[in-house]
Amino acid sequence: MAQTPEKKTTIKTQQVKIRRSPKYLPFLITGAVVGVIVAVILGLTIPADSRTAEPIVTYLIGYLGAIGAALGIVTAVVVDRIGVARAKTLEATKLEG
């Protein structure tokens, strides 16, 4: 019978940071949707005699949707910075071999 060589197991320990990080796409989409809802409400509150022939609601949707998306991204960045500040440093052990 042939002997099989024994595997040596090495243990490596290192410091790792654990933190929660937001996903940016949901913040972007939520901000854009809120902006569009605000634009529609704002557009419908304009009295009929004050409206012009131009499609003001379409412009409001475009502008406020973009502003809402930008505010959503800014919110995600702020939440990410808070997550970095609250990050915990722990010791992780990795077995190799």
Side-chain angles (χ1 to χ4, degrees), residues 6-19:
E6 292 184 28
K7 291 185 179 180
K8 291 188 177 181
T9 303
T10 57
I11 299 174
K12 290 186 179 180
T13 304
Q14 60 183 356
Q15 298 289 326
V16 292
K17 285 195 173 201
I18 307 293
R19 70 181 182 97

Side-chain angles (χ1 to χ4, degrees), residues 2 11 19 33 37 39 46 49-51 58 71-72 75 85 93-94:
I11 299 174
R19 70 181 182 97
V33 168
I37 290 171
I46 298 173
D49 56 343
S50 299
R51 292 185 189 175
T58 306
L71 288 175
T75 304
T93 303
K94 182 178 181 182

Side-chain angles (χ1 to χ4, degrees), residues 56-78:
I56 190 71
V57 175
T58 306
Y59 290 126
L60 284 173
I61 288 173
Y63 289 126
L64 291 180
I67 290 170
L71 288 175
I73 291 295
V74 168
T75 304
V77 169
V78 168

